Amino acid sequence: MNYFEVIKAALDALVDGICRHRSLSRQQAMRMAAAHLQTMSAEWFSGDKPNIVYGDPLCRFAYLYCHTGVNANLCEVSIRDSAQVADLIERRLDDAGELKVCAFGGGPGTELLALSKHLCNTRRGRPQGDINFTLLDLVPEWAESWNALESNIKECLRDQFGERRNWPFTISKTFQPYDMTRIEQYANLGQLFRHDLYVLNYVLSEIFTDQDAFARLVARMAQEAPAGAMFLIVDRDQPRVVAWARELLAAAGLNEVQFTQTNSNMDLDERRTTLMEYEREINHRPRLTWRGAFWIVGVKP
């Protein structure tokens, strides 16, 4: 499985519909996507809560093109390089035949991409398991790109493994539009969101307000999670983000078992030339590196 190949297929499936929806030529749409990328970069490093219009389909398209591959690769690295997380995944699939994953603010399906590639590399010839995936995000429109990515992940599985019975895993998904700062939205949150692995991938750096409410959500999920469940936080290596990550885990009664800081680049099997058509049109390269990132793992005793 190759991130850029899956992403290109998703972009191809989305672009014409976006142009029709916005009554734009493809050239106009690509110029607007480029403008969104410039705005994203400025907002993320402004020092305030980022104001990014994910409700705009061209903004989501631009994010999918530029940032999804590298963020998925970083998430995959955090999974495979954390012995505790990798072992949890293997044990759940081997013992129960199912892994329940909850992605906070997962946007286009970054975590699904990361976990899928990890399992394609580690589960070949092993009993088939089911990935029960719940995606929480305030922007319900992300479901479009999430579905496009999922569809193309399945195409990759067919190409690589043949008939469905030979796949190393299957995917069951739930897309749940959810404001992660409003815990009162559900009366029985624990029953609804009880999982084995909780992933917060570039979530904390985008939540600058209502931190107390988000902390209550994490604590409630940790309270209802089964023993041994893990919370994996991946984000920018900024002092206040790192400090908040550690505060969240401690306040939720989770034991920190790994903390890693990283500066690196995407795996060598990933080639940005796969997206060259879009690179020429948008006049902006997809990201290939992460500078100043970290991941931290908390486990429920």
Side-chain angles (χ1 to χ4, degrees):
M1 181 177 291
N2 182 280
Y3 291 129
F4 285 147
E5 290 177 0
V6 175
I7 290 168
K8 182 183 184 301
L11 294 171
D12 291 345
L14 294 168
V15 63
D16 289 340
I18 293 174
C19 290
R20 287 194 301 270
H21 175 71
R22 295 292 299 274
S23 299
L24 297 169
S25 69
R26 181 165 173 138
Q27 185 179 35
Q28 290 171 320
M30 295 303 102
R31 284 200 301 265
M32 294 175 70
H36 279 300
L37 289 175
Q38 292 178 349
T39 300
M40 286 181 208
S41 181
E43 288 292 326
W44 282 328
F45 294 99
S46 67
D48 297 318
K49 180 180 179 180
N51 181 20
I52 301 172
V53 287
Y54 291 124
D56 185 330
L58 279 169
C59 182
R60 298 193 301 276
F61 183 90
Y63 184 97
L64 177 62
Y65 159 74
C66 187
H67 300 292
T68 301
V70 69
N71 287 348
N73 204 158
L74 172 57
C75 187
E76 181 200 353
V77 169
S78 71
I79 291 171
R80 74 187 187 209
D81 285 0
S82 171
Q84 294 90 343
V85 174
D87 181 65
L88 170 72
I89 292 169
E90 291 299 310
R91 284 188 289 104
R92 290 291 193 265
L93 290 175
D94 286 343
D95 297 344
E98 180 184 37
L99 176 73
K100 296 181 179 179
V101 184
C102 181
F104 294 66
T110 307
E111 299 78 16
L112 176 63
L113 269 177
L115 187 56
S116 295
K117 188 168 182 179
H118 174 76
L119 293 175
C120 282
N121 292 333
T122 61
R123 297 289 298 182
R124 184 185 295 271
R126 305 282 293 280
Q128 187 180 85
D130 182 49
I131 307 302
N132 188 324
F133 213 106
T134 299
L135 177 69
L136 308 182
D137 203 289
L138 180 60
V139 181
E141 293 86 355
W142 274 124
E144 293 177 340
S145 54
W146 213 92
N147 289 337
L149 285 179
E150 181 201 18
S151 176
N152 288 292
I153 287 170
K154 290 178 177 178
E155 284 295 325
C156 288
L157 290 171
R158 277 189 283 270
D159 291 343
Q160 187 171 349
F161 298 101
E163 295 182 9
R164 189 181 185 92
R165 65 186 180 186
N166 297 325
W167 296 4
F169 62 94
T170 58
I171 302 168
S172 302
K173 73 176 190 304
T174 301
F175 188 97
Q176 186 72 48
Y178 188 79
D179 183 343
M180 290 178 289
T181 66
R182 294 185 56 200
I183 194 173
E184 72 278 3
Q185 283 182 296
Y186 293 98
N188 199 356
L189 190 67
Q191 288 294 328
L192 187 61
F193 298 136
R194 182 173 293 164
H195 295 81
D196 304 308
L197 177 64
Y198 301 80
V199 185
L200 294 82
N201 192 29
Y202 284 91
V203 173
L204 302 191
S205 56
E206 294 211 8
I207 299 178
F208 283 79
T209 59
D210 297 319
Q211 292 188 5
D212 291 342
F214 185 71
R216 289 196 297 273
L217 172 64
V218 173
R220 179 67 181 279
M221 286 190 168
Q223 178 183 356
E224 300 293 341
M230 295 187 181
F231 283 67
L232 171 63
I233 300 174
V234 184
D235 218 309
R236 295 182 183 88
D237 189 9
Q238 299 169 345
R240 63 175 172 175
V241 178
V242 172
W244 188 27
R246 286 184 150 144
E247 289 171 8
L248 278 175
L249 297 182
L254 302 168
N255 295 331
E256 180 182 327
V257 294
Q258 182 173 6
F259 174 78
T260 300
Q261 296 168 301
T262 176
N263 295 278
S264 192
N265 49 267
M266 296 185 71
D267 293 335
L268 295 178
D269 64 322
E270 298 290 341
R271 295 285 186 269
R272 90 168 207 269
T273 52
T274 305
L275 297 178
M276 189 58 69
E277 173 189 2
Y278 290 102
E279 183 176 327
R280 286 194 295 264
E281 292 180 300
I282 298 174
N283 195 27
H284 193 294
R285 293 181 179 183
R287 279 178 53 221
L288 301 175
T289 63
W290 53 86
R291 294 289 178 261
F294 78 96
W295 72 80
I296 188 170
V297 180
V299 61
K300 180 172 178 178

